[in-house]
Amino acid sequence: MKIAMIGTGYVGLVSGTCFAEFGINVTCVDIDKDKIKRLKKGEVPIYEPGLEDLLERQIKSGRINFTTDLKSAVADADAVFIAVGTPPRVEDGHADLTYVHEAARQVAQAMTGYTVIVTKSTVPVGTAREVEKTIREANPNGDFDVASNPEFLREGAAVNDFMRPDRVIVGTSSERAQKVLQEVYRPLFLNETPIVFTTRESAEIIKYAANAFLATKITFINEIANLCEKANGDVQTVARALGLDGRISPKFLHAGPGYGGSCFPKDTLALAQTGQLLDARQTLVEAVVESNANRQRAMAQKIIDAFGGDVNGKRIGILGTAFKPNTDDVRESPSLVIIPILQEAGADISAYDPAAIEQTKRYITAVDWKKDPYAVADKADALVIITEWNEFRALDLRKISEILKEKRLIDLRNIYKPSEMEALGFHYVSIGRPEVKGQKAVLKEVSAG
Ligand code: UGA
């Protein structure tokens, strides 16, 4: 079995490497010469735990190759996966399929013998059918099928998600294509991973519906957190109790500063667009998109409010700029919305992220970058946790409280306990939980003195 993977972004690189681990001969193709050169040496251009080791093993085994020559990679492949980018179009948010169709045209010219072309990028419903048309036009006598096989891996847990998925979705009504894809996913068949064979359209919808549902779940708990703040509730307890209902499940019920990343924002927007286009409005998803955008901005106001409404001339230390832990990805990260609003309001920003500093610099300027959380806290008027990296979960809070100019901590991921923060004398602001003003500790100190 030989496959070609077109596009070595997140999905392409992880899928290609993992397919090689399954025992398949994989050739990964990209137009970026420099990237291919680095990948050949085993250098992974993204931060993804476990991927570099796996890639090194596959390179040594000879099962994975990298090239810029699409033609040679496709010529003897049984299946060709299209995993190129589908960024949102600037004008309307719809997924831009230019790269998908360009890849399809090139594959059409290069394929020899029966070939299954598989769309792996997240693409709007109807794309596989359109790709088939593109290929048929470019190669009227070609022997091929186009199938849809969306990917569900998460950044930061991508290898594990690929190797041990909750399910695999294969959209095709061709028995020949089904057989080829069954062979590609053989190791997962053997370990009884649920594999859903369906139509291409259903497969395409499943991917968007899954991401939109998870984004909705997050947005729901974020709005409940707002209610908790007004009504003296505790969103952590509410979420836990909700999650104990097996029908709801506890996952993706962590209130925070709003979802980000390269997928949820793009896919919710694209689904809303498709709904409007096909006259099946996705009003819930539209509301989610709006609520999440408002939330990211509201987080900046929450920080300003923690200062009594004025941050002019204040030094604010930021911990975490990646959209979530274990990634250097900052796309659509709440930090990219929050930091500029604070800067606009006159605050000086110092910041640290374990992996995303270089990426953040591409979007945000005038930040005083530090080497660790303590350097960020030093003489700052407040410390703000935006991303819940593990290394922020066990900070020496006593030390932090001593080096901060004002003991003010805004925790947008609820990683600390209000009672502990109270004992340390912090003015502690978190999400959906009663605010701790810090007086108690002051009183304690007074009475102790
Ligand atoms: C997401 C999906 O989880 C994957 O299944 C999917 O394959 C991927 O998109 C994609 O379409 O390619 P990812 O974007 O890597 O994966 O990140 P998630 O772990 O889903 O987190 C997304 C955002 O939601 C992050 O900003 C995270 O902080 C936020 N989040 C997540 C919350 O605010 N609360 C939660 O309870 C969970």
Side-chain angles (χ1 to χ4, degrees):
M1 171 70 58
K2 282 188 177 170
I3 67 174
M5 183 66 64
I6 317 292
T8 58
Y10 234 102
V11 170
L13 185 58
V14 173
S15 310
T17 312
C18 292
F19 278 140
E21 171 83 1
F22 284 177
I24 299 170
N25 281 310
V26 181
T27 306
C28 294
V29 185
D30 205 291
I31 46 171
D32 185 336
K33 283 189 188 130
D34 190 51
K35 200 171 178 190
I36 290 296
K37 217 196 256 165
R38 288 177 59 193
L39 284 167
K40 275 186 172 172
K41 287 190 272 180
E43 285 175 31
V44 173
I46 48 175
Y47 178 93
E48 184 59 44
L51 185 58
E52 201 149 278
D53 289 349
L54 191 63
L55 179 61
E56 201 183 301
R57 272 216 308 279
Q58 299 317 315
I59 291 175
K60 272 196 192 130
S61 77
R63 278 195 299 269
I64 196 162
N65 285 297
F66 294 94
T67 181
T68 52
D69 181 12
L70 182 141
K71 208 168 169 196
S72 67
V74 167
D76 59 350
D78 301 289
V80 179
F81 287 78
I82 299 182
V84 296
T86 55
R89 276 196 311 232
V90 184
E91 59 279 20
D92 58 5
H94 199 268
D96 183 350
L97 299 175
T98 317
Y99 305 111
V100 172
H101 285 288
E102 183 47 38
R105 264 186 291 276
Q106 291 184 32
V107 171
Q109 308 288 353
M111 63 190 184
T112 58
Y114 177 68
T115 311
V116 183
I117 294 106
V118 189
T119 51
K120 202 150 196 44
S121 309
T122 301
V123 286
V125 58
T127 302
R129 190 180 293 269
E130 289 298 316
V131 165
E132 182 171 311
K133 240 200 251 163
T134 299
I135 298 177
R136 182 63 67 211
E137 274 164 24
N139 184 349
N141 300 318
D143 187 14
F144 71 97
D145 280 303
V146 176
S148 164
N149 171 224
E151 187 45 61
F152 297 92
L153 52 83
R154 287 164 302 167
E155 292 184 17
V159 173
N160 187 59
D161 283 353
F162 193 95
M163 305 298 270
R164 279 167 283 276
D166 288 339
R167 76 309 206 185
V168 172
I169 309 295
V170 176
T172 178
S173 33
S174 148
E175 269 180 36
R176 269 166 109 191
Q178 187 167 325
K179 268 203 190 113
V180 170
L181 285 163
Q182 227 155 343
E183 190 55 30
V184 167
Y185 282 107
R186 219 160 76 94
L188 298 185
F189 264 98
L190 295 177
N191 75 10
E192 294 181 359
T193 302
I195 310 222
V196 179
F197 286 103
T198 180
T199 61
R200 298 186 295 200
E201 287 77 9
S202 293
E204 289 164 339
I205 292 172
I206 288 165
K207 170 68 197 195
Y208 279 97
N211 273 2
F213 191 83
L214 293 170
T216 303
K217 221 176 158 187
I218 297 166
T219 306
F220 178 82
I221 201 66
N222 284 342
E223 291 200 352
I224 292 291
N226 288 344
L227 183 65
C228 287
E229 283 170 20
K230 299 280 183 198
N232 208 26
D234 181 337
V235 74
Q236 298 289 112
T237 311
V238 173
R240 183 162 174 274
L242 280 175
L244 288 171
D245 184 330
R247 295 168 302 177
I248 297 175
S249 116
K251 291 181 182 166
F252 280 70
L253 275 185
H254 300 291
Y259 61 77
S262 67
C263 302
F264 286 178
K266 168 172 78 74
D267 295 349
T268 44
L269 207 61
L271 183 59
Q273 279 287 326
T274 306
Q276 287 181 13
L277 219 68
L278 298 183
D279 201 16
R281 288 248 331 247
Q282 300 298 301
T283 53
L284 259 183
V285 179
E286 287 176 20
V288 164
V289 171
E290 191 188 344
S291 176
N292 195 64
N294 290 340
R295 182 164 192 82
Q296 293 194 349
R297 287 191 292 272
M299 291 301 110
Q301 191 55 47
K302 192 178 178 72
I303 296 164
I304 295 171
D305 289 347
F307 280 86
D310 185 8
V311 292
N312 194 19
K314 298 288 183 185
R315 185 168 185 83
I316 301 180
I318 303 283
L319 295 185
T321 55
F323 83 96
K324 66 171 188 177
N326 297 324
T327 179
D328 63 353
D329 200 339
V330 298
R331 284 175 287 177
E332 305 284 338
S333 173
S335 66
L336 301 190
V337 173
I338 296 169
I339 293 173
I341 296 178
L342 297 177
Q343 288 175 324
E344 187 70 19
D348 289 326
I349 303 294
S350 60
Y352 166 73
D353 187 284
I357 294 178
E358 288 313 309
Q359 293 297 331
T360 315
K361 282 181 184 168
R362 295 171 56 192
Y363 301 91
I364 285 184
T365 54
V367 170
D368 184 4
W369 290 102
K370 301 289 188 188
K371 285 201 166 57
D372 65 64
Y374 301 98
V376 173
D378 195 22
K379 298 189 191 66
D381 296 289
L383 196 60
V384 180
I385 298 169
I386 298 186
T387 317
E388 71 279 31
W389 284 93
N390 269 345
E391 78 171 85
F392 303 153
R393 289 180 186 273
L395 294 173
D396 181 343
L397 290 171
R398 195 163 293 279
K399 183 172 168 189
I400 296 275
S401 79
E402 281 162 11
I403 57 181
L404 273 171
K405 196 159 132 203
E406 291 180 44
K407 291 185 184 186
R408 190 183 281 118
L409 203 148
I410 298 121
D411 176 3
L412 301 181
R413 297 286 182 171
N414 287 359
I415 61 179
Y416 286 106
K417 285 204 177 100
S419 55
E420 285 170 15
M421 303 309 287
E422 188 171 19
L424 285 162
F426 278 101
H427 174 188
Y428 178 68
V429 178
S430 58
I431 300 285
R433 300 186 296 187
E435 200 166 303
V436 167
K437 290 285 186 195
Q439 276 100 335
K440 228 178 182 171
V442 175
L443 286 178
K444 263 187 212 154
E445 272 167 27
V446 169
S447 58

